[in-house]
Structure formats: C-alpha cells, structure tokens
Amino acid sequence: MPLSGLNNPSLLQQQCFINGQWVDADNGETIPVSNPANREIIAHVPRMGSAETERAIAAANTAFPQWRDLTAVERSRVLNRWYELMMANQEDLARIMTLEQGKPLAESRGEIAYAAAFLQWFAEESRRAYGETIPGAKPGQHIVVITQPIGVTAAITPWNFPAAMITRKAGAALAAGCTMVVKPASETPLSALALAKLGAEAGLPPGTLNVLTGSATAIGGAITGSDIVRKVSFTGSTEVGSKLMAQSARHIQKISMELGGNAPFIVFDDANLDAAVEGAMASKFRNTGQTCVCVNRFLVQRDVHDAFIAKFKNAIDGLVVGDGMDEGVTQSALINQAAADKVNEHLQDALAKGATLVSGGDAHPLGAQFVQPALITDVTPEMQLCHEETFGPLAAVIPFDTEEEAIQIANDTPFGLAAYFYSDNVHRVWRVAEALESGMVGINEGIISNPAAPFGGVKASGLGREGSHEGMAEFMEQKYLCMGSI
Ligand SMILES: NC(=O)c1ccc[n+]([C@@H]2O[C@H](COP(=O)([O-])OP(=O)(O)OC[C@H]3O[C@@H](n4cnc5c(N)ncnc54)[C@H](O)[C@@H]3O)[C@@H](O)[C@H]2O)c1
Ligand SMILES: O=C[C@H](O)CS(=O)(=O)O
C-alpha cells in the first residue's frame, strides 16, 4: 500500500471532517481515489451529498461567533501553528499529493511550501483588518468605516493544486474571522483531508473548518442554495464557475471566481533567448502543463523564430517522463485519460490544419495517461488549441511580424488570466504590459505566483483576487458608522 509508508500515518484520512469529527457518508457510500501513474486505487473517501453538507454548514454557523470573537492575534497564532505543522509534515503531504495527483515529488514538495506560505501570509494579514475615518457632512458629525467577517463561507477547489488552492482561500477566510466548508476535487481529496487534520491540531475549533467529499452537484447545490453561506470562493473551469455564479444569485452570495486561462507567451526579437527558453520551460511544463497559468500559445517574432525553436526543442527533449514518485522525473501522468486524450486531440487537430511537428507526438510506452512532451510550429489561429486550454505538455508556436500583430493575437481569447513576454526594451515593456488583457503579466519571468501578489484574472478567467492584501477583503464586509451631534 503506497500510503503505508507515511512517517505520520494520521495524515491519511478516509473520512470527511465535519464539526471536528471524522465521519462517513450517511449511506456509507464511498468513492475511490486512484494514482494517475498506474490507476491503482490508493484510498476511498465518503460520497457525501446535500444532507451532510447542510450539517457542515450548520456546524460552521455555530462555530462562527466564537471564532469571529477571538482577537486577530489569537487567530493569527492558530494560522501560524497550522503553517508550522504543514512544513513539519511536508514530506508526507508531498507523498500524499503525488500519489493522488501525479505531479513529480519535487513539485509536490514545492506546492506544500507554497500552500503553507498562504497560511503564514494570512496569519500576518489577520492583524491588519483596518478601517478608515471620513469627515462628516456637518458640524458634530463623524464617519467611521469598519470591516467585519462576512460569516459562513464555502470553497470549491480543483485537483491540480490540491493543497494551495485550499489554503489560498481558507487562510484568508479564517484570518478574516469567518468559518468555512471546503469541497475538494474528487480526484484529490486526501490532501484536503490531511490539511483538515493539521488544522485541528493547530487549534481550529470544531466547525471552523469542515471538509466534504462526494457529489459535486449535490454538495455545490447545497452550498449555493443556502441562505447561511454568505460567500462562495470557487477555483476551477470557467464552465463550472459560470454555473455556480448563476446558482449563487438566488441568495445574493458574495463570490470569487478563479477560472480557466489561455496564456500567451510572446518572444520579441529584442529578448534574451536563453532566458526566454528557461521561462518557457518553467511556465509551460510545470505540473506537466496542468496549471491555470501555463502557457497555452507561444508567439515568436519571425527574426528570432528559428533560433528560439532550436533552443526550445533541445530543452523539451531533456524532459523526463515517468511516475511522479520516482526521483528525477519532471513530467508525470496526466490526471486522467480524458486529460491525455484532450492533449492528443489538440495536437492532431493542429497537425491536420497545417502545423509542423518538431518534437514528441508519439504514444508513450508507459501508458495512455502519459503524454510525450511535444513541440509544434506554424500554428495558426483557427486551430482548436488557440481557443481552448490544452492543459498538458504541448508547446504550440505561432510566428508573428509586428508588436501590434502579437498583441492582437494574444488578446484574441475570452480568457485573461496570465500572459508572458520577453523583451529587453523598456519602452516596449510598458507598451505591451499595458496592452495585454490579463490579470497577471510575467515580464522576462515564467513563474509569477506569489502569496504577496493579487492572483486573479479578467474577462472569462474570473472575478476577485486571492493572496496579497486583497485576499482577506474578499471574506469581509464594510460598514460605515455615521455619528451625529457629537
Ligand atoms: N484561476 C485559477 O486560480 C485556477 C487554479 C487552478 C485551476 N484552474 C482551472 O480549473 C480547471 C481544472 O480544474 P478542474 O478540472 O478541477 O475544474 P472543474 O471546474 O471541473 O472542477 C473544479 C471543482 O468544481 C467541482 N465541480 C464540478 N462541477 C461542479 C458543479 N456542477 N457544482 C459544484 N461543483 C462542481 C469539482 O468537483 C472540483 O472540486 C482548469 O480550467 C484550470 O484552468 C484555475
Ligand atoms: O493552476 C492554478 C494555480 O493557481 C497556479 S499557481 O500555483 O497559483 O501558480
């Protein structure tokens, strides 16, 4: 049993966490959790539905006043202890993550540190829930703006970052004084349940944090249909986000949406090509291409196109495909067969429409869920991959001539999460950075995520920001007090 080798076996939880208790589904049903590398079932978790969700919401509601009324310093101490426990258990948490999500162990270790950093960040932010004073409209009148926690909140999170997408929300909500119900993706529930275990150990009172696994539509329906849940924070596909936004309208729930992307990566003729290739590899192939901020379209200026492609091909050919648990592996199995099929569908569509295969493209000997990293050129805008998230190790390159053409192609998408470009010309840097329609821009950088920066997108990539000093405000309400005759 691959999970039998944990140093801290208590981190393997196969029940849900409601009101400080580990519980099964009412009907005893479970769902299997499998290892993407070999499809071996590694655990089972409860298949919960609306009744259990309503109990979790009730527990969060009961716990809210006590957690709200702690001082910011008291909440900060719990969050900081949770951070410390995550780091103390980093190796076990990384092992659990790789076994259920597939990503290389080194990347899982990195995600645990990144996820823990959100708890550390919001432990500090919890002490900075400031208000403001405003001059009154007449003598003796004073206006004070205060901020208060919004109340019971919910998070629905994706499989590709099973820990960080939870702490980026739960850290902010708990720091604000809210309580939370979390529904992780059914592909990666074990990381979420391990986080709940450590959160309780850190001192989160019963009901403050609840984690439910099971039917997404039933749990999501109970969350968005509740007049107790005041905030829904979703990370996932734009398609599902749009559905949840509509469902949240019934009770006017406050929402945050961290959705899909279609990131352009522009290499101008004044770029440092070695740096551009390094950034391209980091952004495109992180988590085997399964991140929302992965490059989806490369745009390379014609004068440097062939030189860039030669360097890029050499780097791609150096990638090591294998089981994420094996040291040295840099590309793992994709999360499921449908994900691998989508990458191949995008590749075949592009080749059928005139793209040129430079590297990769063959079936991988390790199995159908593994994809050989591929590089294609002569990509044109009518190809499927220009309009859909590939979410896998396929690097597609579009040649361009002018800066104006590059910006037009880059912005020709409903999405606007991340964008990247490489140029050493400071005048061009400002022009292009302002012209790109995205929430985040990497300039001569391929990896841009940072708990201190406001993460989020524009257009169909979402609403709101996470992390930074913005993150906690998403879980708070403002109230102004107008005091007269003083
Ligand atoms: N913007 C970001 O920060 C960010 C981060 C990670 C992933 N993503 C996006 O997420 C997608 C990949 O993740 P995914 O496949 O888990 O996305 P997904 O939308 O299929 O699922 C996300 C979560 O929503 C749940 N869900 C699915 N249908 C639901 C419904 N009808 N009601 C309630 N919950 C439902 C899933 O169980 C999961 O927990 C990609 O599009 C990626 O770009 C965005
Ligand atoms: O996949 C989406 C994540 O938000 C990417 S990151 O880890 O925040 O860069």
Side-chain angles (χ1 to χ4, degrees):
M1 178 66 174
L3 280 166
S4 58
L6 297 177
N7 298 314
N8 180 355
S10 73
L11 290 176
L12 175 58
Q13 292 294 332
Q14 299 188 74
Q15 293 178 293
C16 291
F17 191 61
I18 298 177
N19 200 25
Q21 301 296 313
W22 296 100
V23 293
D24 295 323
D26 290 349
N27 59 14
E29 286 186 12
T30 62
I31 48 181
V33 183
S34 60
N35 178 348
N38 55 26
R39 300 182 183 178
E40 178 186 321
I41 292 175
I42 59 174
H44 289 82
V45 294
R47 184 192 299 275
M48 292 198 162
S50 54
E52 296 96 332
T53 306
E54 282 156 19
R55 287 203 297 275
I57 292 169
N61 199 29
T62 302
F64 172 55
Q66 177 199 5
W67 181 250
R68 177 199 58 205
D69 293 346
L70 290 181
T71 65
V73 170
E74 289 168 325
R75 288 198 294 271
S76 173
R77 284 195 187 113
V78 173
L79 287 173
N80 214 41
R81 180 65 187 134
W82 196 6
Y83 158 77
E84 290 168 349
L85 288 170
M86 278 195 74
M87 294 310 293
N89 290 276
Q90 183 180 18
E91 195 58 27
D92 277 352
L93 293 172
R95 184 179 177 84
I96 289 169
M97 183 178 292
T98 292
L99 286 168
E100 68 174 352
Q101 198 269 332
K103 68 176 69 174
L105 202 53
E107 287 199 42
S108 291
R109 294 184 185 113
E111 184 186 335
I112 296 303
Y114 176 55
F118 282 108
L119 299 180
Q120 185 182 46
W121 172 262
F122 285 113
E124 295 156 2
E125 282 296 290
S126 70
R127 304 169 68 166
R128 297 179 181 81
Y130 299 148
E132 63 180 319
T133 60
I134 298 170
K138 59 186 181 182
Q141 187 182 80
H142 301 270
I143 297 175
V144 175
V145 181
I146 63 173
T147 54
Q148 296 177 298
I150 198 167
V152 173
T153 71
I156 299 176
T157 55
W159 51 263
N160 64 336
F161 285 82
M165 297 305 96
I166 291 175
T167 57
R168 194 159 79 182
K169 299 170 189 300
L174 295 168
C178 298
T179 54
M180 180 170 266
V181 174
V182 177
K183 192 213 82 65
S186 295
E187 296 86 344
T188 55
L190 303 179
S191 296
L193 296 170
L195 286 177
K197 172 70 178 163
L198 293 178
E201 207 175 305
L204 289 175
T208 310
L209 179 74
N210 307 272
V211 178
L212 293 159
T213 61
S215 163
T217 50
I219 295 171
I223 285 170
T224 53
S226 166
D227 60 0
I228 297 171
V229 174
R230 297 308 319 139
K231 164 80 180 188
V232 178
S233 183
F234 173 75
T235 295
S237 65
T238 294
E239 180 190 359
V240 173
S242 176
K243 284 179 189 170
L244 291 173
M245 280 181 72
Q247 291 172 210
S248 294
R250 181 179 169 199
H251 294 293
I252 317 296
Q253 291 167 325
K254 190 173 182 179
I255 57 171
S256 292
M257 290 283 150
E258 294 286 355
L259 305 177
N262 183 2
F265 186 110
I266 308 170
V267 182
F268 288 105
D269 56 13
D270 50 25
N272 175 320
L273 291 189
D274 290 327
V277 169
E278 185 180 347
M281 292 299 292
S283 175
K284 176 67 239 185
F285 295 102
R286 181 171 166 235
N287 199 8
T288 314
Q290 301 171 114
T291 90
C292 59
V293 292
C294 277
V295 182
N296 210 55
R297 299 163 293 151
F298 286 94
L299 288 69
V300 182
Q301 200 152 19
R302 217 172 289 277
D303 291 355
V304 296
H305 179 274
D306 295 350
F308 176 82
I309 293 297
K311 292 174 183 283
F312 199 15
K313 179 187 185 307
N314 285 341
I316 291 170
D317 291 347
L319 292 169
V320 179
V321 180
D323 185 329
M325 288 302 290
D326 295 343
E327 290 296 336
V329 163
T330 58
Q331 298 289 285
S332 61
L334 297 193
I335 188 66
N336 54 37
Q337 189 58 55
D341 293 346
K342 181 177 183 184
V343 177
N344 193 46
E345 180 188 338
H346 279 188
L347 173 61
Q348 297 310 321
D349 169 78
L351 296 177
K353 292 174 181 172
T356 304
L357 182 64
V358 176
S359 186
D362 298 325
H364 199 277
L366 285 176
Q369 222 156 295
F370 291 87
V371 174
Q372 184 64 38
L375 172 61
I376 57 176
T377 56
D378 301 314
V379 172
T380 50
E382 76 277 2
M383 296 172 185
Q384 215 175 330
L385 63 84
C386 288
H387 305 285
E388 296 173 5
E389 252 180 334
T390 300
F391 232 58
L394 170 59
V397 180
I398 304 167
F400 72 91
D401 294 302
T402 67
E403 182 181 303
E404 294 70 19
E405 182 190 1
I407 289 169
Q408 187 277 321
I409 296 170
N411 289 336
D412 181 21
T413 169
F415 296 100
L417 190 60
Y420 308 85
F421 68 92
Y422 276 69
S423 167
D424 284 345
N425 176 325
V426 66
H427 307 288
R428 166 170 279 165
V429 163
W430 271 105
R431 283 198 308 270
V432 175
E434 290 185 331
L436 289 171
E437 297 168 358
S438 70
M440 303 171 282
V441 183
I443 302 164
N444 301 329
E445 276 292 352
I447 299 291
I448 57 177
S449 303
N450 179 334
F455 190 102
V458 299
K459 304 196 307 187
S461 289
L463 297 169
R465 292 294 183 269
E466 296 192 324
S468 78
H469 66 274
E470 307 277 352
M472 200 166 70
E474 296 282 354
F475 293 93
M476 304 195 84
E477 292 284 22
Q478 284 192 322
K479 180 189 291 176
Y480 83 75
L481 316 176
C482 182
M483 293 176 274
S485 306
I486 294 176

